[in-house]
Amino acid sequence: MCVEGGRCRARLDGAIHRCESPRPARTPGVETPPVHPTLQSAARRRLGVFTVVEARRAGYRADEIRSAISSGRWHRLRRGIYIETAAWRSVADDPRARHLVECVAVLTALKPGPVVSHSSAARFHRFVLPGRIDGDVRLTQVEEWRQGRGYRIAAATLPANDLTSAPPLTVTSEARTLVDCAREWPLVDAVVAVDAALHAGQVTRAGLRSAVLAQTHWLGVGGAARAVDLSDGRAESPLESRGRLALVSGGLPRPELQVELHGVRGFVARVDAWYDDAAVALEFDGRVKYLDPRPGNTSGDVLWREKRREDLIRELDVRVVRIAQEDVDAPRTLMARVARLLATPWVGPRRFTVVRRPEPGADPADAVA
């Protein structure tokens, strides 16, 4: 062993010999942790994210830090900010988790003040996101508007009741987040997200209205108000939301959603959408229901049950229109089909009764109305 007890070079028999510092023996079956426990503790508080400064405080030498980076044991998120590569790979297949790690990295690099908002907060709350959305970390801070590599900060007020604490993050509340997003997103994407959030009980209609009123003079709030007005928490899928908007955008009346039809023997079926005057039921058909049925069912089983169900509805003299995504993508043809049926109102006695469901998250006054 080198008398210096460290790295050195000595000539032995004409060859250069590298002498290393003495290493403690490993206990059989126990692996040396890749990150010092002190550093791990700091990282755990921030979804695995840590800084070079924290590594030095934990006792890492400069050469050990360089080795961890060059060997790939640490993954660089931003300048001076890292995460263990194994931890980074563990979220490789989870875009939401990876984005939240990036949020923590950005906030670690900035001074305190910004909070997670807009599409980043939408990811945090697990809202339905548009198909095409950039990966920028979105933040809001009082009286500061700026952007940097991979992030954008909007300047806006941040009342305490608009914030949710979820260490290591502070995030805008569900209602505030949806309205912030609806001010920027296309109307259809905003309504899809609001429908799903209402249906899941994540927000209430009163909370959404309050959030809109709080942003009365903000850019894009008119679009947000329209999205909230057009939303309906009874929609059970994005296809139902998009299909309803296609009908309304084409000038047709707004249908009621998730209406139950009862015959003389009781419950017959619940239909996705309903035009009462013409007794027309709309059923929104997604391919997944048939191509990827639930365990214990085959595509044939699902198709047969749907056929029998529709037969029972038609026996009530109710007219049924099935709407797929392809129909929503060709709205003119869809409009013509539905308009022809609505032009012929129901005539004669009804052999069914209609039972309406309240909207999830609706105001009590609206439910009574």
Side-chain angles (χ1 to χ4, degrees):
M1 182 179 73
C2 171
V3 294
E4 296 294 328
R7 293 178 180 270
C8 72
R9 287 189 176 185
R11 289 189 176 276
L12 300 176
D13 299 326
I16 295 179
H17 165 71
R18 181 177 295 277
C19 181
E20 303 289 347
S21 302
R23 296 178 181 271
R26 291 188 180 183
T27 304
V30 178
E31 293 192 13
T32 304
V35 174
H36 191 282
T38 302
L39 189 57
Q40 281 186 330
S41 177
R44 271 196 295 267
R45 293 193 295 269
R46 290 201 303 263
L47 304 186
V49 175
F50 58 88
T51 68
V52 167
V53 172
E54 289 168 333
R56 288 172 178 162
R57 288 174 181 166
Y60 280 82
R61 301 191 307 269
D63 61 316
E64 290 175 319
I65 293 174
R66 287 195 297 270
S67 174
I69 296 169
S70 62
S71 67
R73 293 199 307 275
W74 293 1
H75 173 79
R76 182 180 184 271
L77 295 169
R78 304 185 73 80
R79 183 177 180 180
I81 300 174
Y82 294 87
I83 186 173
E84 285 187 81
T85 300
W88 182 245
R89 288 174 179 165
S90 72
V91 297
D93 297 327
D94 187 342
R96 174 184 178 269
R98 179 168 286 210
H99 186 80
L100 294 181
V101 168
E102 291 170 346
C103 288
V104 172
V106 170
L107 289 168
T108 301
L110 299 173
K111 294 180 180 180
V115 304
V116 178
S117 63
H118 296 80
S119 56
S120 293
R123 287 181 170 94
F124 173 85
H125 293 301
R126 299 183 185 275
F127 292 147
V128 178
L129 299 173
R132 295 180 180 179
I133 189 168
D134 64 51
D136 283 356
V137 170
R138 298 297 308 277
L139 306 169
T140 296
Q141 185 172 7
V142 178
E143 297 180 350
E144 182 168 2
W145 185 290
R146 62 190 172 105
Q147 62 182 31
R149 182 178 65 83
Y151 71 89
R152 285 182 283 161
I153 302 177
T157 57
L158 291 169
N161 59 358
D162 277 0
L163 301 179
T164 297
S165 178
L169 301 172
T170 299
V171 188
T172 51
S173 65
E174 289 92 337
R176 166 70 181 264
T177 297
L178 283 170
V179 173
D180 279 342
C181 290
R183 290 189 293 110
E184 298 183 352
W185 291 355
L187 180 63
V188 173
D189 293 328
V191 172
V192 167
V194 175
D195 279 2
L198 283 167
H199 184 77
Q202 292 175 281
V203 292
T204 64
R205 187 159 294 281
L208 290 170
R209 287 171 176 166
S210 177
V212 168
L213 290 173
Q215 300 186 16
T216 300
H217 301 294
W218 295 13
L219 184 66
V221 72
R226 180 163 172 75
V228 170
D229 180 63
L230 287 171
S231 65
D232 193 317
R234 285 166 290 202
E236 296 184 343
S237 72
L239 176 58
E240 291 183 28
S241 301
R242 295 189 188 102
R244 184 179 81 253
L245 286 183
L247 296 169
V248 174
S249 298
L252 295 181
R254 188 167 170 172
E256 299 179 75
L257 303 186
Q258 303 304 325
V259 166
E260 292 183 3
L261 300 179
H262 291 245
V264 292
R265 294 186 179 86
F267 176 80
V268 174
R270 176 161 55 90
V271 297
D272 294 333
W274 173 253
Y275 285 112
D276 193 63
D277 289 345
V280 172
L282 308 180
E283 291 286 272
F284 295 96
D285 262 354
R287 291 170 60 86
V288 174
K289 178 169 63 177
Y290 300 99
L291 301 182
D292 187 18
R294 294 178 180 178
N297 292 278
T298 66
S299 297
D301 293 334
V302 176
L303 186 60
W304 178 252
R305 282 198 297 269
E306 283 297 306
K307 177 191 180 303
R308 293 297 300 144
R309 177 174 170 276
E310 184 171 326
D311 288 344
L312 293 174
I313 296 173
R314 291 185 183 278
E315 285 177 6
L316 300 174
D317 292 331
V318 170
R319 293 169 292 177
V320 180
V321 178
R322 288 195 172 270
I323 301 173
Q325 182 61 52
E326 292 79 2
D327 300 311
V328 177
D329 294 336
R332 289 188 179 180
T333 303
L334 174 62
M335 296 305 106
R337 287 171 57 199
V338 177
R340 280 195 299 270
L341 294 175
L342 298 187
T344 308
W346 177 273
V347 177
R350 294 193 171 197
R351 297 189 295 110
F352 60 86
T353 57
V354 173
V355 177
R356 294 168 172 83
R357 301 175 64 191
E359 180 193 18
D363 301 340
D366 292 342
V368 172

